[in-house]
Amino acid sequence: MKKLNLTTYLAIRDIPAKKLLLLLEQMSDAGGAVVLMNLESRDSLDMIRMLSQKKRDRMVQCLIDLESAEETIQHQVLEKVEKEILKVLATHYDSIDINERLAELICHFQSSQRIAVLDLIRDKKKTAFGQIRKKIIEYKEKHEICFFEDILSFPDEDLRDRIQDVDTRKIAIAVKEADEAIKTKIMENMPRRIREMVSDDLQNIESLTVDQIDEAQNAVMKALMNKKRGSGSR
C-alpha cells in the first residue's frame, strides 16, 4: 500500500508513543491502520501491543483488507485517512510546524538529494521556499551542520589554508560529481602540487555510488570545519 505523503508523515513522526496511542484510539480503524503502517516496524509493533484488544483486532483486519484491495480503493482510503489524520492532529497540536519538520529532514539528505528537493520546492512552492530556507539555516546553526555546497561561501584565503591537510582522494571523490562552481572553487584554491594529485585521482576514479560521494563530502567538510575550530582556538 502507498505511504502517507511527506507532510502527514512529518506531522506524526515525532509524537510521543503515549500521545500517539491516545490519537489512534480516537481515529477510525482505517486511519489508525494506515498510521501504524507508516511507523517503523519496531514502533508499529510496540504500538499494536499497547492498543486495546478490540481496537487492535479491528485495525489489524483493516490492514489485511487494505493490502488485498485494488489500488484505486487503496488510493481513495488513503486520501480520506490523510484528511482525518491532519484533522485529529490539528485538534490536539496547534503548534505543528510542517516547514520546520521538512527543513530538519532536508538537512539530513545527501547533497544531491538536498539540492534536488530544494530546487523542487523553489519551483513548486515558492511561497514556502523562503520559510523553509530560514528553518534550514536555524537548524544548521543549532546543530552546527555545514553542507558541502557551503564551501562556496568560504573566503578563498580560509579555504586555501584548510584544504591542504585534507586527503586528496577524498577531495577527488567529493568533487567528482559536484556542481562545477564548487569544483572550481576547490581546485583553484589548492596548491599546485595538491591540485595535480587530485586531478590524477579524478582520472583514476571509476563509477561511484551516491553513498561514497556523500561520505567523501562529509569527510571533507568535517576536516575543513575541524581545522577552522582548531585555528580559532589558538
Side-chain angles (χ1 to χ4, degrees):
M1 185 176 177
K2 294 181 179 179
K3 300 290 187 180
L4 290 168
N5 69 41
L6 182 60
T7 299
T8 313
Y9 171 72
L10 289 171
I12 67 169
R13 176 179 69 131
D14 295 329
I15 296 176
K18 289 184 178 179
K19 291 185 178 180
L20 183 56
L21 180 64
L22 292 175
L23 296 180
L24 288 176
E25 291 285 2
Q26 297 172 26
M27 294 178 67
S28 68
D29 298 333
V34 172
V35 169
L36 287 178
M37 184 193 68
N38 280 268
L39 296 176
E40 296 292 335
S41 297
R42 182 181 299 177
D43 294 336
S44 181
L45 184 59
D46 290 343
M47 194 63 60
I48 287 175
R49 288 171 177 163
M50 289 189 287
L51 287 166
S52 62
Q53 182 70 47
K54 290 183 178 180
K55 184 72 170 180
R56 178 169 65 241
D57 291 345
R58 293 198 305 268
M59 286 172 58
V60 170
Q61 186 59 53
C62 276
L63 277 174
I64 295 172
D65 293 341
L66 286 170
E67 288 296 341
S68 59
E70 294 181 0
E71 187 172 349
T72 53
I73 300 298
Q74 290 185 357
H75 185 70
Q76 291 172 2
V77 172
L78 196 58
E79 280 189 343
K80 185 177 180 180
V81 168
E82 293 272 3
K83 294 177 182 178
E84 180 189 4
I85 292 172
L86 292 178
K87 183 177 180 180
V88 171
L89 288 173
T91 303
H92 293 268
Y93 295 91
D94 295 330
S95 60
I96 289 176
D97 190 333
I98 298 301
N99 287 339
E100 185 173 331
R101 297 284 179 87
L102 185 56
E104 176 187 346
L105 189 66
I106 290 172
C107 283
H108 293 282
F109 280 166
Q110 294 170 325
S111 179
S112 58
Q113 294 173 318
R114 180 170 57 249
I115 293 171
V117 169
L118 286 173
D119 286 345
L120 182 64
I121 293 173
R122 182 170 48 238
D123 292 340
K124 302 293 184 180
K125 296 187 176 182
K126 294 180 180 179
T127 54
F129 180 73
Q131 297 175 343
I132 293 172
R133 287 287 297 179
K134 182 180 179 181
K135 295 293 184 181
I136 288 174
I137 292 171
E138 291 173 355
Y139 188 85
K140 286 171 63 181
E141 291 177 349
K142 180 179 179 180
H143 297 277
E144 296 185 337
I145 294 173
C146 196
F147 298 157
F148 186 65
E149 53 267 31
D150 290 339
I151 283 179
L152 290 172
S153 65
F154 277 38
D156 289 347
E157 184 178 349
D158 289 349
L159 185 56
R160 281 194 295 271
D161 179 55
R162 300 174 203 172
I163 202 72
Q164 299 182 55
D165 297 329
V166 182
D167 180 78
T168 57
R169 183 166 178 81
K170 289 290 187 186
I171 296 174
I173 294 173
V175 303
K176 179 72 173 179
E177 303 293 337
D179 183 85
E180 196 61 35
I182 297 175
K183 185 184 296 185
T184 300
K185 172 86 171 182
I186 292 174
M187 298 296 281
E188 288 184 349
N189 282 287
M190 290 178 182
R192 180 178 178 180
R193 177 181 58 83
I194 296 178
R195 183 165 60 247
E196 290 174 349
M197 292 171 65
V198 172
S199 296
D200 288 341
D201 284 333
L202 280 169
Q203 292 179 1
N204 295 324
I205 291 174
E206 298 181 356
S207 59
L208 296 166
T209 66
V210 173
D211 287 340
Q212 287 175 317
I213 294 172
D214 191 60
E215 188 276 331
Q217 291 178 348
N218 288 336
V220 170
M221 291 309 301
K222 183 177 180 180
L224 292 176
M225 298 310 295
N226 284 344
K227 186 171 177 61
K228 178 181 179 182
R229 295 189 185 100
S231 62
S233 63
R234 287 197 294 269

